Amino acid sequence: MTAPLVIVGSGLAGYTLAREFRKRDTATPLVMVSADAGQLYAKPSLSNALAQGRVPAQLASETAEQAAVRLAASIHAHTRIGAIDRADRRLAGERGEIAYGRLVLALGADPIPHGLAGDGVDRVHAVNDLDDYARFRAALAGHRRVAILGGGLIGCEFANDLAASGHAVEVVHRGAWPLERLLPEAVGRAMAAALGGKGVGWHFGRTAVRAEVAGDGVVLDLDDGGRIEADLVLSAIGLRPRTALAAAAGLITGRGIVVDRQLRSSDPDIHALGDCAEVDGLVLPFVQPILAQARVLAAMLAGEPARLVYPAMPVLVKTPAFPLVVAPSLAGQGEWQVEVTAHGMVARHLDAAGRLTGFALAGGETGRRLEFAQQLPAWLD
Ligand SMILES: Cc1cc2nc3c(=O)[nH]c(=O)nc-3n(C[C@H](O)[C@H](O)[C@H](O)COP(=O)(O)OP(=O)(O)OC[C@H]3O[C@@H](n4cnc5c(N)ncnc54)[C@H](O)[C@@H]3O)c2cc1C
């Protein structure tokens, strides 16, 4: 019997790969292993479900059992893999060993630890999967005041969602304006003002250092001596690719598990994709790159030649108070040109030769994202 293809991880990367693989190969045994319950859900909806009135149970579209039938796969849920034995092609799971022919790591990323001191750290949440989200929503019930650590993509989306659903939100952000690595100051300030208009308070240039229990809530101490009283805290200071399992097995890791444009790690029988992977030097923890990776890897695993290319892939930021599309510049140095139009804002990131390398479109200008994306150089060609 053919040795199975084993996919570790049941997030967008794992499930999209499984679906794409089954389109091409219905014979090879497929095994999926996941530390979580293995439900199929759209992670991006975690940061806009509140205002849409959706409860955590409504976010999963399939159970692991239903997915197993659809994919003709065997799915081991609630099974964390602790080690990879590359010599014997076996995984050490919590309930025994799992043999693989080829292995795919789709392990995702961990929230960066907030590093706060104090006895209130139990009231600090990070939301990176459906279980986290269910815990956060349960803790939020009956409470109004939420402090968010981090004004990046996820922090801003949660700020908008919480404010739109009647919560009092304070955001502590190290940068001088939100999304400062993706937006020029003028657009960032306009975003802060738009969310401010919905009641979001901002603490720019600050970090939180302590969380102390105060009655039912928590007091956050900031590095400038400022204090924020909240019922709970949401940490959204970023994610770090899960590389430990691969590194312990001797695979090359950098910012992520290092793979080439066939999604092959330094062991040709082990592949990686999704938030855990560093693909040809790029770590791009977004939906569109993962879909492209899954199609290429599925073809590869089915024996078809394939090589990953990325067009520029703008990201739609889910902040309805300030509609925004960003296409990060991968070019490094450059300068922003910002235009305020009758409909919104257009920011062009230009390199030294005046070529468009990234952009941000706000308000009514977001409708022009395809026009702008077509002018950008491919991210991988
Ligand atoms: C709140 C939020 C909103 C977002 N919004 C957007 C958006 O609007 N647009 C966009 O493009 N992107 C968005 N993203 C990013 C996007 O959702 C992610 O890039 C994508 O979902 C990552 O999928 P993944 O499968 O790589 O990782 P994950 O979904 O994290 O899956 C990892 C899987 O690996 C399993 N696992 C990990 N370690 C082990 C182990 N040792 N043993 C067994 N199983 C293991 C986990 O249980 C899990 O099943 C958002 C992310 C967040 C957190």
Side-chain angles (χ1 to χ4, degrees), residues 287-302:
V287 170
Q288 292 301 325
I290 294 175
L291 300 181
Q293 293 164 17
R295 283 189 292 268
V296 167
L297 182 49
M300 278 284 300
L301 293 168

Side-chain angles (χ1 to χ4, degrees), residues 158-195:
F158 272 113
N160 195 145
D161 201 38
L162 285 158
S165 50
H167 296 87
V169 180
E170 298 290 327
V171 181
V172 182
H173 184 55
R174 190 194 295 263
W177 58 87
L179 299 172
E180 77 281 5
R181 274 176 284 176
L182 296 173
L183 296 181
E185 179 168 357
V187 182
R189 298 239 174 254
M191 179 178 204
L195 287 170

Side-chain angles (χ1 to χ4, degrees), residues 9-13 34-36 43-44 47 81 106-108 275 285-287 318:
S10 63
L12 177 77
S34 182
D36 60 35
K43 190 183 281 199
S47 51
I81 297 301
L107 304 169
D275 281 7
F286 303 112
V287 170
K318 303 187 294 297

Side-chain angles (χ1 to χ4, degrees), residues 1-215:
M1 190 171 129
T2 320
L5 168 65
V6 176
I7 302 173
V8 186
S10 63
L12 177 77
Y15 270 134
T16 308
L17 174 66
R19 185 191 71 210
E20 292 295 322
F21 180 70
R22 273 293 181 244
K23 284 184 190 168
R24 296 164 172 86
D25 181 329
T26 51
T28 301
L30 176 60
V31 175
M32 294 184 70
V33 190
S34 182
D36 60 35
Q39 293 159 298
L40 180 68
Y41 73 103
K43 190 183 281 199
S45 53
L46 300 182
S47 51
N48 69 356
L50 253 177
Q52 293 176 356
R54 298 166 77 197
V55 296
Q58 290 171 309
L59 300 182
S61 54
E62 231 177 22
T63 63
E65 292 75 16
Q66 290 165 332
V69 172
R70 174 175 56 86
L71 296 164
S74 154
I75 301 184
H76 303 255
H78 299 297
T79 305
R80 182 170 293 279
I81 297 301
I84 304 168
D85 178 345
R86 288 165 55 200
D88 280 350
R89 295 184 186 224
R90 288 182 172 278
L91 302 176
E94 283 158 324
R95 291 181 218 132
E97 296 197 326
I98 297 167
Y100 68 85
R102 277 172 305 173
L103 174 64
V104 177
L105 302 175
L107 304 169
D110 277 320
I112 293 174
H114 52 67
L116 293 176
D119 62 4
V121 290
D122 290 349
R123 295 175 189 182
V124 182
H125 294 252
V127 172
N128 185 37
D129 60 33
L130 206 45
D131 291 342
D132 294 339
Y133 187 62
R135 277 190 292 273
F136 175 67
R137 286 286 292 263
L140 189 63
H143 293 298
R144 220 183 132 254
R145 299 168 307 166
V146 183
I148 297 179
L149 309 181
L153 276 171
I154 292 173
C156 287
E157 292 185 353
F158 272 113
N160 195 145
D161 201 38
L162 285 158
S165 50
H167 296 87
V169 180
E170 298 290 327
V171 181
V172 182
H173 184 55
R174 190 194 295 263
W177 58 87
L179 299 172
E180 77 281 5
R181 274 176 284 176
L182 296 173
L183 296 181
E185 179 168 357
V187 182
R189 298 239 174 254
M191 179 178 204
L195 287 170
K198 301 287 173 196
V200 174
W202 295 97
H203 304 263
F204 291 120
R206 299 273 67 91
T207 52
V209 290
R210 286 185 80 77
E212 297 288 353
V213 169

